[in-house]
Amino acid sequence: MRTAKWLVNGLGNVLLGLTGVCAVFLAGCILTGCTPYIVLSGSMEPNIKTGSLCVVDTKAAFHEIKTGDVIAFETGSGSLVTHRAVAFRDGLIETKGDANAVTDGLTTSEANFRGRTICSIPYLGYVLSWLQTGRGKVLAVTGMATLALLSLWFD
């Protein structure tokens, strides 16, 4: 019984700690003008893996981007792409995915530029993507409720 109580309290503390870290991360993003995005393809591997969570500085200025910066831009279909800036011509940025053999061409103008990627957290995007599904939400809430009830029962 003592081991079960220790386990339930430990899991509860870990869950509470993770929730706190996520809250601080999201508050930091809001306060600094950053937006998190989930990477859906492998075009930037091995530097940014599929399923990573990329943090994009949406306050970054288009004219301050340099060759080698990883930027986020919106395509004509409305999807967001994260690729590396490789050249500049006529007020446009030519981009290329690190894993791609050829460039995207002159794809990014100031109008479709969304920001500069400042960091990526591998695999966290998979977790967040799963938590956005119906099954993920139900299992997360059920797990938290079960831990809360077990904590009350052991106390």
Side-chain angles (χ1 to χ4, degrees):
M1 190 65 109
R2 185 176 272 180
T3 303
K5 181 179 179 180
W6 178 83
L7 184 63
V8 168
N9 285 337
L11 286 173
N13 289 337
V14 167
L15 184 61
L16 187 62
L18 287 174
T19 302
V21 167
C22 288
V24 169
F25 173 76
L26 289 175
C29 282
I30 291 168
L31 292 173
T32 60
C34 294
T35 304
Y37 293 102
I38 298 171
V39 176
L40 301 175
S41 76
S43 65
M44 284 299 292
E45 289 194 11
N47 295 316
I48 301 175
K49 297 184 181 328
T50 303
S52 294
L53 183 74
C54 278
V55 179
V56 175
D57 178 7
T58 56
K59 291 184 178 180
F62 180 79
H63 64 276
E64 292 177 354
I65 299 302
K66 298 176 180 67
T67 301
D69 285 348
V70 177
I71 64 169
F73 60 95
E74 195 171 318
T75 65
S77 64
S79 59
L80 196 74
V81 176
T82 299
H83 278 176
R84 192 171 305 278
V86 294
F88 300 85
R89 281 195 299 275
D90 303 322
L92 298 171
I93 301 174
E94 184 174 358
T95 59
K96 178 183 172 298
D98 291 351
N100 296 347
V102 296
T103 70
D104 305 325
L106 296 168
T107 56
T108 309
S109 65
E110 194 163 359
N112 70 335
F113 174 76
R114 294 298 169 255
R116 184 175 56 85
T117 301
I118 56 175
C119 72
S120 66
I121 305 165
Y123 308 113
L124 185 57
Y126 285 132
V127 175
L128 295 177
S129 184
W130 177 77
L131 285 173
Q132 292 174 4
T133 66
R135 178 177 281 164
K137 290 175 187 175
V138 168
L139 288 174
V141 169
T142 302
M144 288 187 288
T146 301
L147 277 174
L149 289 173
L150 286 172
S151 180
L152 288 173
W153 183 56
F154 283 118
D155 284 344

